[in-house]
Amino acid sequence: LSYEISAQNLSPAAFTVLNVLRAQPELRLANKAICEITTLPRRTVTHALNILLKHQFIQRYGKGSAVRYQLVF
């Protein structure tokens, strides 16, 4: 329940990125894949991912160009 309430306080871009990850919770997605799905600019997606990481909605796996993001269960 608190998960839903705090999601309402996100920016529209962060909420869009969160919904992409929610639609495929078993997948670890790269920034590029999220950009292609949402058609948002890369920097906007990067900023949204950082917000979601800060609020612990998602986890980061890997380093550098191999970074992937996945919804926290």
Side-chain angles (χ1 to χ4, degrees):
L1 185 65
S2 62
Y3 179 66
E4 296 297 325
I5 292 169
S6 52
Q8 293 174 353
N9 299 329
L10 296 172
S11 70
F15 193 73
T16 300
V17 171
L18 181 60
N19 284 334
V20 167
L21 292 166
R22 277 183 179 165
Q24 302 169 359
E26 70 286 351
L27 294 182
R28 293 180 179 177
L29 297 175
N31 189 331
K32 182 178 179 181
I34 297 169
C35 290
E36 290 171 358
I37 293 167
T38 62
T39 68
L40 291 170
R42 183 181 54 80
R43 286 185 57 115
T44 302
V45 171
T46 300
H47 182 71
L49 288 167
N50 286 331
I51 290 169
L52 294 171
L53 280 166
K54 180 180 164 191
H55 293 293
Q56 299 178 337
F57 284 106
I58 61 174
Q59 284 185 303
R60 177 188 284 144
Y61 297 92
K63 291 186 178 181
S65 61
V67 169
R68 301 291 182 267
Y69 300 90
Q70 186 175 24
L71 195 65
V72 172
F73 292 98

